[in-house]
Amino acid sequence: DIAYDILFNLRNKGIVLIIAHPERYHYIDLNTLVEYINLGCLLQGNITSLLGKYGKSAKENLELLIIISIFFLFKHSFYN
């Protein structure tokens, strides 16, 4: 797929890729995220997703990713 090819080429150039808040990407499945991690990508989850700020689905997705220990980074956005 084209996204995989792009990520692969960027990693081959030494760029470390961070995929931000994948718990909200309903169009990317768990297997795809694992493929991206195997390429060397890091995942960054949003702590407020755990509080349900982005809906039940995002909360459950992040909880699953935490349970299977797939996350590397967490952050909180301090927007007004």
Side-chain angles (χ1 to χ4, degrees):
D1 97 357
I2 191 164
Y4 183 91
D5 293 340
I6 291 169
L7 296 174
F8 181 83
N9 290 331
L10 290 170
R11 284 298 297 142
N12 280 340
K13 293 181 182 198
I15 297 170
V16 176
L17 301 162
I18 300 172
I19 301 172
H21 46 76
E23 71 272 12
R24 292 190 256 161
Y25 302 158
H26 304 289
Y27 48 87
I28 298 178
D29 63 24
L30 183 58
N31 291 329
T32 301
L33 287 176
V34 170
E35 287 180 21
Y36 294 167
I37 290 168
N38 289 336
L39 278 177
C41 296
L42 302 177
L43 301 182
Q44 174 184 295
N46 194 314
I47 291 172
T48 53
S49 290
L50 289 174
L51 303 175
K53 180 177 181 178
Y54 301 104
K56 182 179 179 182
S57 179
K59 180 181 186 294
E60 291 173 349
N61 289 341
L62 185 54
E63 289 171 343
L64 173 63
L65 294 171
I66 291 169
I67 288 169
I68 62 173
S69 301
I70 203 169
F71 259 87
F72 296 97
L73 306 168
F74 288 95
K75 72 165 210 69
H76 174 69
S77 301
F78 293 101
Y79 303 120
N80 291 335

